[in-house]
Amino acid sequence: MASASSTLLSPQFSFSSKSSLKLRRISNAPPMQESLSLIDSKTRVQRREIFIKGLAMLPAAVFGGAPIAEAREVEVGSYLPPSAADPSFVVFKASPKDTPALRAGNVQPYQFLIPPTWKQARVANILSGNYCQPKCAEPWVEVKFEDEKQGKVQVVASPLIRLTNKPNASIEEIGDPEKVIASLGPFVTGNSYDPDELLETSVEKRGQQTYYKYVLETPFALTGTHNLAKATAKGSTVVLFVASANDKQWSTSQKTLKAMLDSFEV
């Protein structure tokens, strides 16, 4: 019997001369240390995957960035103060809580008037500059507001370096109104810019700040067949206010859109 037991156990055990069992590793099996290391590695991978999935489910506000859904689907008149100068409008004053660029200090606070029935529109994350702050190489959309019957407005910001190598240049130092709109035109229309679409330019002074104003007729623009724009430079950024409408909207709202454009200031 002893002989039979020894034969059956020989693949895993052998008896010493003192009849004590001695563990012997099977030649084709991995060492215990290697097995434990493999298990530990798999566990770490699984834990990392769970952690990453968990992060993806957290709101962006946890990381200091505003989620896209922060845009309010209600009329701005329900939460913005009325204008003292014209009670038919409310005042939007941008603050660091509103956009990634304002939080990063890349854009100076700005404000403008809006009809109380308008609503704030969502800005896609890829357009908001959230992914590239504080050093964005291309323009981004700050905020958007719209109304089905009257049109839409948006604020677009561009790094100053995109238009000039001079630090803290004023809008005049960048160039004349035609040169500036040639660079920023595609961000007014949403696709391309043709100089023939420019109907009117003007220059406005407010204190130390200079603004270039534009009236454009843009039949092929994605933003609308009619566009008004206002640009200025401050700090390391050129800020562009754009008011857009299609033909139907323009016929009844051009006065409102022009008032919004005139009210814009940085």
Side-chain angles (χ1 to χ4, degrees):
M1 291 294 292
S3 174
S5 298
S6 177
T7 302
L8 290 172
L9 291 171
S10 61
Q12 300 178 29
F13 303 94
S14 63
F15 290 98
S16 68
S17 57
K18 295 183 179 179
S19 300
S20 60
L21 283 173
K22 185 182 292 183
L23 185 63
R24 186 173 62 188
R25 177 167 53 91
I26 302 173
S27 59
N28 62 348
M32 182 65 70
Q33 186 176 359
E34 294 175 4
S35 299
L36 291 174
S37 177
L38 182 61
I39 293 171
D40 185 54
S41 177
K42 289 181 178 179
T43 302
R44 285 198 302 269
V45 171
Q46 290 172 346
R47 287 177 179 172
R48 186 164 59 248
E49 289 176 349
I50 293 171
F51 178 69
I52 292 171
K53 289 177 181 177
L55 290 181
M57 296 176 69
L58 291 174
V62 173
F63 304 100
I68 300 173
E70 196 172 335
R72 307 185 189 189
E73 296 296 330
V74 294
E75 293 182 353
V76 296
S78 66
Y79 61 90
L80 291 179
S83 166
D86 188 345
S88 64
F89 290 94
V90 294
V91 183
F92 173 76
K93 293 184 178 181
S95 66
K97 69 179 180 62
D98 292 309
T99 75
L102 281 163
R103 285 192 291 276
N106 279 348
V107 174
Q108 299 299 312
Y110 49 85
Q111 67 178 54
F112 52 91
L113 300 181
I114 317 176
T117 55
W118 284 45
K119 296 179 181 180
Q120 186 171 4
R122 298 182 181 186
V123 178
N125 193 56
I126 194 171
L127 299 177
S128 71
N130 189 37
Y131 67 96
C132 62
Q133 297 297 338
K135 292 184 178 182
C136 292
E138 293 297 324
W140 64 90
V141 177
E142 280 279 291
V143 292
K144 292 175 67 176
F145 294 86
E146 59 188 14
D147 180 271
E148 287 185 2
K149 296 180 180 179
Q150 294 185 301
K152 55 192 172 187
V153 299
Q154 62 180 336
V155 176
V156 179
S158 172
L160 186 64
I161 191 67
R162 194 176 182 276
L163 283 79
T164 178
N165 290 324
K166 183 176 181 179
N168 300 310
S170 65
I171 196 80
E172 300 103 317
E173 291 173 319
I174 294 173
D176 59 25
E178 288 74 13
K179 179 180 178 181
V180 172
I181 196 62
S183 296
L184 299 178
F187 303 100
V188 174
T189 64
N191 45 13
S192 60
Y193 168 72
D194 185 337
D196 291 338
E197 297 172 337
L198 183 61
L199 301 181
E200 182 183 327
T201 66
S202 59
V203 179
E204 177 187 344
K205 281 271 191 180
R206 288 194 181 186
Q208 299 298 315
Q209 202 69 26
T210 300
Y211 299 84
Y212 289 167
K213 297 169 66 176
Y214 305 93
V215 178
L216 303 98
E217 188 172 297
T218 51
F220 306 109
L222 295 178
T223 50
T225 49
H226 300 272
N227 276 286
L228 304 173
K230 187 175 182 178
T232 192
K234 195 168 186 177
S236 61
T237 310
V238 175
V239 185
L240 178 71
F241 181 88
V242 182
S244 309
N246 57 37
D247 289 332
K248 183 178 180 181
Q249 294 167 334
W250 183 253
S251 63
T252 58
S253 67
Q254 58 178 296
K255 184 178 179 181
T256 298
L257 295 175
K258 287 180 178 178
M260 296 170 72
L261 182 87
D262 290 340
S263 71
F264 177 76
E265 62 179 327
V266 180

